[in-house]
Amino acid sequence: MGDKVAVLIDGFNFYHAVSTHIKSISYPRNLKWLDYDLVVRNVLLKNKPFDELKINFYTAVNTYKCDSHGKPHKSTVNHRVYTDALKTKNIDVIEGQFKLRDEKLNSYFVCKECNNTQFIHKLNISFPNKITCVKCNSEFLIEDFKCIKKPEEKKTDVKIAIDLVNIARDGHYNKIFLFSTDSDFIPPVEYIKKNCPNTQIIIVAPSDKIEIKKYNEKLKKLEITSAYRYGTSEFSKLGVTVLRLKLSKLINCLFDDEIESVEGKILRNPWA
């Protein structure tokens, strides 16, 4: 009897991992045109037979992002093309949403007294919600300054966590792969480990490595070590299997540059 496999993919988490890898290793930009069905079948399962496969891809489209003419930004259009491509492989695309929030921190303000410009973050704020100028020590209420509207992704992580627990508790799938290194998923993973012993959960993490350069004062020399860019130590502490996915292998897991969508439209690789 083969495995029944469920795969949950944190779309943004792996998109940024792939983007970072492209910039640092100089891989073709169409590495973003990734066919997760091929990744799962060929790389994770190594073409071994299975009884059932379910793939969920979680994402959110930033509909607030527009170009100078007020039309959807190119990245937003590319995002839609990509999710349409995933649907051709029977991958369930589950969307969260972006919402605008007031951004008063992590921005700049100009002091009304001395005209000093400074960056605001929470360390600059004293109770109750006051900003202190570092130059003249004048204090101002945050409410006195206009907010910057900033789009923020909402609900995606919550949907992943809920589905993760529900799939494990249902017991239909005996193996779950979670494509994410987000520590927010520690609680649901911990719950599954304790309460769903018949379900194996595996964290899939990118194996992108970085060099760490540190000058050793005692030895008077530069020491270079390497480490994974994306940490998984918290998952490992739970006794959860962590699978490092070499992003260099993904070059063989891409869609064709032109494919037909489920609606019969031609989808072209926007990163070709």
Side-chain angles (χ1 to χ4, degrees), residues 28-72:
R29 295 201 65 81
N30 67 358
L31 195 63
K32 296 178 181 179
W33 192 230
L34 194 59
D35 182 344
Y36 276 104
D37 183 69
L38 288 180
V39 173
V40 173
R41 293 172 186 267
N42 299 352
V43 181
L44 297 191
L45 302 180
K46 298 180 180 178
N47 295 311
K48 293 179 181 178
F50 54 83
D51 284 350
E52 195 171 334
L53 176 62
K54 173 185 179 64
I55 303 177
N56 287 356
F57 182 85
Y58 299 83
T59 188
V61 178
N62 186 356
T63 55
Y64 296 103
K65 197 171 184 180
C66 299
D67 61 18
S68 58
H69 302 289
K71 295 181 179 180

Side-chain angles (χ1 to χ4, degrees), residues 9-25:
I9 301 165
D10 184 347
F12 276 109
N13 190 278
F14 256 73
Y15 173 84
H16 289 298
V18 168
S19 295
T20 302
H21 185 71
I22 290 170
K23 292 175 183 177
S24 60
I25 311 296

Side-chain angles (χ1 to χ4, degrees), residues 50-184:
F50 54 83
D51 284 350
E52 195 171 334
L53 176 62
K54 173 185 179 64
I55 303 177
N56 287 356
F57 182 85
Y58 299 83
T59 188
V61 178
N62 186 356
T63 55
Y64 296 103
K65 197 171 184 180
C66 299
D67 61 18
S68 58
H69 302 289
K71 295 181 179 180
H73 192 271
K74 183 180 179 181
S75 62
T76 302
V77 176
N78 293 350
H79 194 157
R80 284 294 187 196
V81 172
Y82 181 59
T83 55
D84 285 345
L86 292 176
K87 292 174 184 177
T88 66
K89 291 299 189 78
N90 293 318
I91 294 175
D92 291 326
V93 177
I94 300 169
E95 292 191 14
Q97 66 184 74
F98 274 83
K99 293 183 70 175
L100 292 178
R101 68 177 174 86
D102 290 344
E103 178 69 14
K104 292 178 180 176
L105 307 183
N106 297 327
S107 56
Y108 290 88
F109 94 106
V110 178
C111 177
K112 297 177 181 178
E113 298 295 331
C114 68
N115 209 36
N116 175 56
T117 300
Q118 74 183 54
F119 185 73
I120 308 170
H121 54 80
K122 56 186 175 184
L123 297 180
N124 296 122
I125 297 173
S126 58
F127 183 81
N129 293 331
K130 288 184 178 179
I131 303 169
T132 302
C133 177
V134 295
K135 187 174 182 180
C136 70
N137 292 322
S138 298
E139 291 187 336
F140 306 94
L141 292 173
I142 293 181
E143 287 73 18
D144 293 340
F145 297 90
K146 291 183 179 180
C147 301
I148 300 171
K149 294 291 185 180
K150 181 179 180 180
E152 183 179 68
E153 181 193 2
K154 291 289 186 181
K155 300 183 179 180
T156 305
D157 287 355
V158 175
K159 289 184 177 183
I160 296 174
I162 291 173
D163 286 352
L164 193 61
V165 171
N166 285 341
I167 289 172
R169 290 182 62 184
D170 180 66
H172 181 74
Y173 296 94
N174 66 297
K175 188 175 289 187
I176 302 175
F177 289 94
L178 173 62
F179 277 68
S180 183
T181 57
D182 193 336
S183 60
D184 286 347

